[in-house]
Amino acid sequence: MIITEQKELEEIVRSLRGRRRVFLIGCGVCAATWGTGGEKEAAGMEARLKEAGIDCAGWIVTEEATCDARTTRRVIRRNREAIASSDALLVLSCGAGVQTVAALADLPVYPALNTLFLARIQNLSVSDERCRLCGACILAETAAICPVTLCPKGLANGPCGGYEDGMCEVDRERDCAWVAIYERMEALGQRGQFTVIREPKDWREDLHPGFVNKRAQKASV
Amino acid sequence: MSRLADAIACGEFVVTAELGPPKGTNVAHLLEMSELLRDHVHAVNVTDQQSSVMMVGSLTVCHLLLNRGIEPVFQVTCRDRNRIALQSDLLSAAVLGITNVLCLTGDYVTLGDHPQAKPVFDLDSVTLLKTVAVLQEGRDLSGKALTGVPSYFPGAVVSPAASPLGPQIAKMEKKVAAGAKFFQTQAVYDPAQFEAFVRQVEYLGVPILVGIILLKSAGMARFMNSNVAGVTVPDGLIDEIGSVPRPERAARAVAIGARLMREMNAMCQGVHIMTLGWERHVPRLLAEAGLAPSPSRSTNGE
Ligand code: SF4
Ligand code: SF4
């Protein structure tokens, strides 16, 4: 799931300065689950904006993910009157959702959240980043623990010299990813995998912006 | 040519030391310190932005040392350069006649004095060692032929007191497979533990230079215990250095260092002394450790 956090109200108010009226759009998937952009949060944001003196035309939460242009297009169409009476949209979703809305609406669109990372949600207050979307998954060779994400150096060939009692040199409160990988390999009887020397990553696999067109891919096969 | 490689090949007990370049352009003090080491060591490591603190480059200082007849060990980390810059610097080193290269991952940027910097780590210590090997075959990492083929004596580092030790040894094994010809260790203060480590890695058949840092004070020992990964100074040694009055500390530090060396010399192929400003004590340390002056260590012996 994509983990987000709400921006400080001051920052949102600052970016909305000069706007007459704003309509709010929340995301019904990641931001709703994580409690940053669901119904409760959209209503709360509206109330806080009003308190700060910003006129609101209402809010809606996309039942699907805001980043799904197919469904967000319909949500925008259904709310066109409220949107037409506004001169700005404030989106409570990840950056992809904000830009999906911006591509569908011809008025200024602003983010209400900071987008943090792709994570496992352990419970409603704890989530930890698990994947950096690197474009060439190596989990098969690392005991299903991702060093690209969990080792701050992104090392691919074992630990650096900085771990201490199994904790990472960058943050002594966190496990060293490579000690964890080593121990899981041992536990699973896969210790031999550790000895494989991984070639330097081909960064073309991690080229941004990412773009996929499955139909064009099929056509070229 | 590498005097260090020759000495190791001959089975001689090898001595290396370490110097950190200055922050700023004044290298006078550094060169003065190097003079204190000149006749006592086979080679002098030059650190690469040690602890992620920005300083003059290792390559430049290696060049200065070599010009003065002191054999350098070029330390190279993966923190600040991508594979293009690393290969380029390795070729530059070879052009300057620098052959000893110590390949390290490098500390993370937030440990140093520019914590805002973008960390690189395009390669790691293992793939850096492999890069050295590839260059020696006359190619670069993209397979292109080199005009003029470099020759290196590549080394790596290991922490004998890492906890847990398993992943450390597994990584060491990969470094050997990637071409590491010698290892310098993190500072060791527990000979029994070092002996156990040496037994465990004996099968790798690679020369190990045990790391020595003179204990300047009890405070320094405690600082290392809580801040330097893989270094554990036993309480007994902390008490010992803490019990002597300040004017006698250097002598006691040397005595402790020499004692450790005498206990560990037979377990390994050499010693790597990280002087941290105490270069002047190296001759006495070596003498007390029972290492007679060796013509191969002296520049006059060439
Ligand atoms: S290797 Fe890690 S970052 Fe890359 S795709 Fe797999 S989980 Fe994600
Ligand atoms: S201690 Fe482990 S997780 Fe941390 S940077 Fe080193 S290898 Fe990566």
Side-chain angles (χ1 to χ4, degrees):
Chain A
M1 197 145 274
I2 304 285
I3 302 302
T4 48
E5 64 175 12
Q6 284 199 356
K7 285 179 178 289
E8 295 291 333
L9 187 68
E10 276 161 53
E11 186 189 340
I12 297 173
V13 168
R14 216 182 310 126
S15 59
L16 290 174
R17 188 175 297 148
R19 299 289 146 203
R20 220 173 10 83
R21 199 157 194 239
V22 54
F23 184 72
L24 281 61
I25 298 176
C27 169
V29 181
C30 298
T33 305
W34 189 239
T36 48
E39 296 189 351
K40 191 165 136 243
E41 295 78 27
M45 180 66 72
E46 181 185 41
R48 288 196 294 150
L49 286 176
K50 281 181 172 163
E51 239 170 72
I54 293 176
D55 187 18
C56 294
W59 55 265
I60 184 78
V61 172
T62 60
E63 55 270 43
E64 305 294 336
T66 306
C67 61
D68 189 336
R70 299 166 307 160
T71 41
T72 297
R73 178 177 293 119
R74 274 188 292 218
V75 170
I76 288 180
R77 208 178 297 140
R78 279 206 302 273
N79 291 276
R80 58 180 169 263
E81 271 162 36
I83 292 175
S85 76
S86 309
D87 62 351
L89 294 176
L90 181 68
V91 183
L92 294 82
S93 78
C94 74
V98 176
Q99 294 179 68
T100 303
V101 171
L104 294 167
D106 44 13
L107 68 171
V109 175
Y110 299 93
L113 310 182
N114 292 318
T115 307
L116 303 180
F117 44 75
L118 176 56
R120 155 180 75 174
I121 290 178
Q122 297 186 29
N123 57 53
L124 286 184
S125 47
V126 178
S127 73
D128 54 341
E129 184 175 17
R130 300 312 287 194
C131 174
R132 295 187 61 148
L133 315 166
C134 77
C137 193
I138 60 168
L139 286 175
E141 296 143 60
T142 58
I145 295 173
C146 174
V148 179
T149 308
L150 297 173
C151 166
K153 298 175 188 172
L155 300 180
N157 278 303
C160 71
Y163 68 85
E164 180 99 64
D165 294 325
M167 307 311 264
C168 174
E169 85 170 16
V170 180
D171 180 353
R172 292 283 181 226
E173 310 276 290
R174 288 175 193 243
D175 292 338
C176 164
W178 273 103
V179 170
I181 291 168
Y182 179 90
E183 286 174 349
R184 188 167 158 86
M185 279 179 176
E186 275 213 314
L188 299 177
Q190 298 179 324
R191 165 69 176 78
Q193 279 197 340
F194 199 98
T195 57
V196 179
I197 295 181
R198 302 194 48 75
E199 293 297 320
K201 179 177 171 58
D202 180 348
W203 283 95
R204 289 172 299 185
E205 293 156 351
D206 205 6
L207 200 62
H208 295 284
F211 180 78
V212 180
N213 182 342
K214 286 202 272 189
R215 219 176 290 151
Q217 276 172 356
K218 233 180 258 161
S220 70
V221 170
Chain B
M1 66 126 260
S2 159
R3 193 166 74 175
L4 180 65
D6 292 345
I8 288 179
C10 295
E12 212 183 312
F13 191 81
V14 168
V15 181
T16 56
E18 184 169 303
L19 288 173
K23 188 190 269 295
T25 54
N26 187 345
V27 293
H29 178 73
L30 172 100
L31 294 177
E32 210 176 287
M33 292 302 113
S34 72
E35 286 305 321
L36 297 173
L37 300 171
R38 169 189 291 281
D39 289 332
H40 305 281
V41 300
H42 288 97
V44 176
N45 285 35
V46 183
T47 55
D48 174 14
Q49 331 282 349
Q50 192 169 25
S51 309
S52 309
V53 173
M54 191 286 295
M55 302 171 201
V56 166
S58 174
L59 187 56
T60 297
V61 173
C62 286
H63 177 60
L64 293 177
L65 294 186
L66 195 58
N67 275 352
R68 304 171 141 243
I70 299 169
E71 182 165 310
V73 177
F74 177 31
Q75 294 201 3
V76 186
T77 73
C78 300
R79 178 190 54 235
D80 308 312
R81 284 161 289 186
N82 69 7
R83 69 194 76 180
I84 299 174
L86 286 169
Q87 291 179 94
S88 175
D89 278 1
L90 285 168
L91 291 181
S92 299
V95 168
L96 295 171
I98 297 159
T99 50
N100 305 317
V101 237
L102 192 79
C103 300
L104 306 109
T105 300
D107 292 329
Y108 198 65
V109 286
T110 53
L111 274 59
D113 65 352
H114 287 66
Q116 315 84 345
K118 181 175 187 183
V120 181
F121 303 107
D122 185 25
L123 303 183
D124 56 52
S125 52
V126 174
T127 46
L128 180 59
L129 283 160
K130 278 200 73 175
T131 301
V132 167
V134 167
L135 293 176
Q136 293 195 91
E137 289 165 10
R139 292 177 289 122
D140 69 9
L141 283 181
S142 71
K144 300 255 163 57
L146 303 176
T147 52
V149 178
S151 154
Y152 302 106
F153 184 55
V157 295
V158 67
S159 268
S163 100
L165 189 56
Q168 188 71 196
I169 292 178
K171 177 97 180 231
M172 184 182 181
E173 192 180 304
K174 282 175 98 156
K175 290 179 181 181
V176 174
K181 298 280 182 281
F182 69 99
F183 280 79
Q184 290 174 327
T185 81
Q186 182 55 282
V188 176
Y189 292 97
D190 184 343
Q193 190 191 46
F194 183 65
E195 188 173 19
F197 163 79
V198 165
R199 288 236 171 85
Q200 281 193 67
V201 297
E202 220 161 23
Y203 74 101
L204 293 171
V206 66
I208 296 172
L209 280 56
V210 65
I212 293 287
I213 295 180
L214 293 180
L215 284 181
K216 294 182 181 179
S217 66
M220 174 207 189
R222 279 190 220 104
F223 177 84
M224 288 198 293
N225 276 351
S226 41
N227 294 294
V228 184
V231 175
T232 310
V233 186
D235 289 341
L237 288 184
I238 299 180
D239 294 344
E240 183 176 347
I241 193 68
S243 69
V244 294
R246 189 179 285 273
E248 290 161 36
R249 270 199 211 139
R252 182 59 67 97
V254 167
I256 294 172
R259 197 168 74 214
L260 289 167
M261 282 169 61
R262 280 197 307 272
E263 283 182 60
M264 295 190 286
N265 285 357
M267 304 171 193
C268 54
Q269 286 67 41
V271 62
H272 176 59
I273 307 163
M274 292 163 267
T275 40
L276 305 175
W278 273 17
E279 288 75 16
R280 65 185 183 281
H281 298 297
V282 167
R284 196 156 133 219
L285 174 68
L286 295 174
E288 284 191 29
L291 291 175
S294 149
S296 88
R297 290 209 302 272
S298 163
T299 37
N300 306 322
E302 275 186 308

